[in-house]
Amino acid sequence: QNPTPHLTKNPTPDPTKSPTTNQTSELMMSSNVAIAAQTINFPQQSLEKGDKNGWIFYNGIPKSGTSSLRQSVIDTGRFQIKDITFWGCKSSVANNWREVYEEDLLLKNAQFQNQSLSVFATGHACWVDFSRFEEQPISIQTVRNPLSRWRSAFNYGISGKRPKEKILRSRKAIAALMGLDDPYSPEITFENCAENDRCFSGNVLVTAMGERTAFTPCEACVNRFIPNINAEPFTNIFGITPRRNELLATIRLMLTQYDALIPLDDMKSGLKLIQHMWPTIFTNISSMESHARASKKSNGKDGGEDRGTSIVQFAAERGGFLLTYQVACAKFCLEMNRLMFESDFCKDFIDSSGVADGQTSAVVSPTANNMYLLWTSSMKGGLHNQLMILTQLGELASGLNRTLIVPQLLHGFPKKSNYLETNVEFDDIYDVAYLHQNGFPSNLISLNMVPPGLFLGNIETVDLDKNLKPPITNAMNIKVQKLLEDSKKQLLVVKRDDTEKFSKMKISR
């Protein structure tokens, strides 16, 4: 038979074959790094999305408004709801979703051909690459402040909203983690769980890592972090700290591969937004009742003052979950602003600010005078060597008249193979404000204090591995210095993975 017009020439991966290590690396490069490379400058996407076929890809994050959005879609009476049962983070999930999508594209019944009826496909799955199809689905995601989401997931697991057998199973698991005999003990609360080492690792962090699934390509679902319930909480938090390149790839994928990002706290405005973006598909959805029931306190940076918040806040920051959420909100509010749609949520979000080293930085629209340097590779070697490299980076940032976003350190946990070469944030060990105020060559700022609006388009990435291949010469250093000086983007990302000759990278004046 002749090939269908819906497909490109790229073959469908064989789900029956397990990839080798090399193949896995290639898959990760093609599905994650390649996407990042193609969109390296975070272009601001236009709201003119072009023709869409009415098939909605919604791999919703649990407890982030999935049921609320699904119900609003049902209320329109215009969608065929498909609850895709292929969940989780593995390559076979993508194959199954693509098969469903392909079947719908080829389906010739009147129901699918009817322009007044679209398909809303939903399920808690990893990100599926549909690029081999000529017709692309609409990709939508809802986001929620991670602290609010983790608390909601815990309370839902032990609440009366679920079947009794599932409630009992969840309560028994939590009671075992907390060392309690009674699964209905009043001691089973989110605050107590967060303060209990085993429960924090075995429940809260497991829930946290589930957020990364939605923004991880299914083919890249390897070496997923599994918390060690017998480890110290901070050890596990270090374990969920992503490498800078990985976090940037997550943000790039979120910004460039999803057509709409909707905060749970402003679902009503989100419905209005998608109706404006695709008026023939989402006709009248903005008039539907919003079923979202998120806390109104979840759009700030602190997420509450209850017991257990401190360590949970720390995990949200070090795991990159807060930054990812804030960038998603920044994109949503930017698009609302472009359309001149009013939103109390966005007003509060834009008016909020983070204070770092005595400087106030706007969340969505940082002033053009603030220029930043982000070094994405973790520093290697002994602590002394890493501090020398940090000083060199400070000299580089000073020469470029930029604020240095403190890089990650490389910290090994002895005799724990799954924690070796773990990245930790510099300010977990040193007081960044102290360095900033006591003679460090450049201004410093922690990653969690960087304005999330920087990631919406005003960014440039320079790959030093292409310019500093050994042997390194003075002429090459001058070339790289000029390359970095020429960048006028507000956020300059410097990538260098070939760290064998790290000590020779000094390119300051």
Side-chain angles (χ1 to χ4, degrees), residues 48 51 56 67 133 144 154 156 244 266 281 287 297 308 358 364 386 393 399 410 429 434 438 457 503:
E48 299 297 329
D51 294 335
I56 316 300
S67 298
F133 298 94
R144 184 175 187 175
F154 181 91
Y156 176 76
R244 291 286 167 80
D266 203 6
I281 296 174
S287 63
K297 298 180 179 180
V364 175
Q386 294 186 56
L393 291 176
L410 195 64
I429 300 176
Y434 177 84
N438 288 272
S503 61

Side-chain angles (χ1 to χ4, degrees), residues 10 25 32 43 68 78 80 101 165 175 255 275 287 323 437:
N10 296 335
S25 299
N32 199 353
S68 302
R78 298 174 52 84
Q80 176 186 355
Y101 181 60
E165 61 275 10
L255 290 178
Q275 178 176 319
S287 63
L323 180 59
Q437 298 166 4

